[in-house]
């Protein structure tokens, strides 16, 4: 067998294994909790199994937006134009219409609070020229951060069979956001925001029901199940937890609350009710893709 033939066979085998990994992704239950300061793993279950990230994807979109801000490639008051492609991304979006503009700050806040798909695409097209080019940058950054099992194909988390991640990788991304962009990370604690006269409320219910939780991101599609990455601080211990593949939003939140109970200092919880108190503004449910 020639060296060329050997290389071709090796390449084919590698590709086959990679495609096999993609087809193995499913809405499997997984969880992972890490101490954000020490890096100690506090809980892990199926943490390296491939799952679909859904809107947890937007954490990387925001990471790259924050990086561009620090490097001077973006400014908070910079105008982003909604393309027809961005405007087409249902169901959650600002829906201002193709050709209209939002500031970067409006786009970021709408992603944090509403999981706005059009805003994620607008950022991607501004920085990468296209969703596809930006997704490659997302994957490259994932490798730099140590996310070994993650492949991004779009900036929003809308369904793509090749867009995969793991609970461990999502925790790595959460820790990276707070480490690399501590000021911008504070935005993840937003429970709502005002957009051009409208008061809009988010749907990360753990921030209402569990003392010490200050973000980060929920996600759901039919293929992924209900996902969440959560940051919480109690008595000096900061943890980042991940729950993936749950059947309902309430089961996901209950699972995360239990993980926080077991990994944070005692008397940190307020978990008697899964329903947060009423807040002013629009209520966005957690039962439709992708958030």
């Amino acid at each position: 067998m020639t060296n060329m033939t050997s290389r071709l066979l090796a390449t084919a085998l590698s590709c086959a294994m990679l495609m096999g990994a993609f087809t193995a992704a499913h809405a499997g239950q997984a969880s992972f909790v890490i101490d954000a300061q020490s890096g100690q793993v506090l809980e892990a279950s199926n943490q390296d199994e491939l799952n679909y990230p859904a809107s947890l994807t937007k954490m990387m979109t925001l990471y790259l937006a924050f990086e561009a801000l620090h490097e001077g490639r973006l400014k908070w008051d910079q105008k982003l134009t909604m393309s027809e492609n961005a405007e087409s991304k249902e169901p959650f979006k600002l829906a201002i219409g193709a050709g209209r503009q939002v500031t970067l700050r409006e786009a970021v806040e709408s992603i944090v609070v509403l999981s706005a798909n059009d805003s994620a695409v607008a950022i991607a097209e501004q920085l990468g020229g296209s969703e596809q080019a930006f997704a490659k940058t997302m994957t490259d950054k994932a490798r730099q951060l140590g996310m070994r099992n993650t492949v991004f194909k779009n900036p929003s988390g809308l369904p793509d069979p090749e867009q995969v991640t793991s609970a461990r990788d999502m925790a790595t991304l959460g820790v990276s956001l707070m480490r690399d962009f501590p000021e911008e990370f504070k935005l993840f604690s937003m429970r709502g925001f005002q957009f051009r006269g409208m008061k809009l409320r988010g749907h990360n219910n753990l921030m209402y029901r569990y003392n010490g939780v200050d973000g980060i991101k929920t996600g759901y599609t039919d293929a992924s199940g209900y996902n969440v990455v959560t940051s919480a601080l109690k008595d000096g211990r900061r943890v980042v937890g991940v729950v993936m593949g749950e059947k309902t939003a309430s089961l996901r939140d209950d699972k995360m609350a239990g993980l926080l109970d077991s990994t944070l200092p005692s008397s940190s919880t307020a978990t008697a009710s899964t329903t947060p108190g009423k807040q002013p503004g629009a209520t966005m449910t957690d039962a439709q893709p992708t958030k």
Side-chain angles (χ1 to χ4, degrees):
M1 183 180 294
T2 67
N3 288 338
M4 177 62 72
T5 302
S6 297
R7 287 197 295 271
L8 289 173
L9 285 173
T11 300
L13 179 59
S14 176
C15 291
M17 292 175 65
L18 185 59
M19 291 306 295
F22 287 144
T23 59
H26 62 289
Q29 294 179 341
S31 60
F32 191 74
V33 183
I34 188 171
D35 185 300
Q37 278 88 23
S38 69
Q40 179 187 2
V41 176
L42 305 175
E43 196 281 346
S45 175
N46 300 321
Q47 68 274 15
D48 295 314
E49 295 296 315
L50 293 183
N51 278 286
Y52 298 117
S55 275
L56 302 187
T57 298
K58 295 185 179 80
M59 292 166 58
M60 180 59 82
T61 301
L62 291 174
Y63 185 101
L64 292 174
F66 298 156
E67 184 177 71
L69 274 166
H70 280 247
E71 293 176 353
R73 292 182 287 119
L74 285 178
K75 296 181 179 180
W76 279 119
D77 60 355
Q78 184 168 340
K79 297 293 182 64
L80 307 177
T81 301
M82 291 293 183
S83 66
E84 291 186 4
N85 178 47
E87 176 66 19
S88 72
K89 303 302 181 183
E90 302 288 348
F92 293 108
K93 59 184 182 179
L94 289 176
I96 62 170
R100 297 184 180 273
Q101 293 183 319
V102 295
T103 66
L104 177 66
R105 184 174 294 278
E106 288 173 329
V108 167
E109 290 182 352
S110 70
I111 291 171
V112 169
V113 176
L114 302 180
S115 202
N117 295 317
D118 52 356
S119 293
V121 173
I123 289 174
E125 291 177 341
Q126 176 68 35
L127 288 176
S130 69
E131 287 191 82
Q132 294 75 18
F134 187 73
K136 184 180 185 304
T137 302
M138 294 169 73
T139 301
D140 290 343
K141 180 58 68 175
R143 293 296 175 275
Q144 292 175 24
L145 297 176
M147 301 166 65
R148 296 180 296 176
N149 295 317
T150 298
V151 175
F152 291 113
K153 290 294 181 178
N154 64 58
S156 64
L158 286 167
D160 187 305
E162 295 185 357
Q163 183 149 275
V164 295
T165 192
S166 68
R168 185 194 300 272
D169 280 4
M170 284 292 108
T172 297
L173 181 53
V175 171
S176 298
L177 276 162
M178 68 174 63
R179 177 196 67 215
D180 298 341
F181 308 108
E183 287 303 310
E184 291 79 5
F185 183 79
K186 296 174 183 177
L187 293 169
F188 287 104
S189 65
M190 293 177 62
R191 298 183 180 187
F193 81 119
Q194 292 196 33
F195 178 71
R196 302 181 185 182
M198 297 182 291
K199 293 182 179 180
L200 302 173
R201 177 184 177 274
H203 45 247
N204 189 345
N205 289 337
L206 280 165
M207 289 200 293
Y208 300 97
R209 63 173 283 197
Y210 200 105
N211 293 333
V213 168
D214 53 7
I216 304 175
K217 190 76 188 72
T218 61
Y220 169 79
T221 65
D222 288 343
S224 74
Y226 290 83
N227 302 336
V228 67
V229 178
T230 297
S231 165
L233 175 67
K234 176 65 177 179
D235 294 341
R237 167 169 267 188
R238 165 77 70 180
V239 301
V240 172
V242 181
V243 170
M244 304 191 77
E246 287 297 331
K247 301 300 183 184
T248 68
S250 60
L251 285 173
R252 173 196 65 194
D253 293 348
D254 288 345
K255 176 67 177 292
M256 180 58 73
L259 292 172
L260 296 177
D261 284 346
S262 65
T263 56
L264 287 172
S266 60
S267 73
S268 64
T269 63
T271 60
S273 171
T274 60
T275 304
K278 290 185 178 180
Q279 301 289 326
T283 298
M284 306 295 287
T285 65
D286 198 10
Q288 300 178 34
T290 174
K291 23 177 218 183

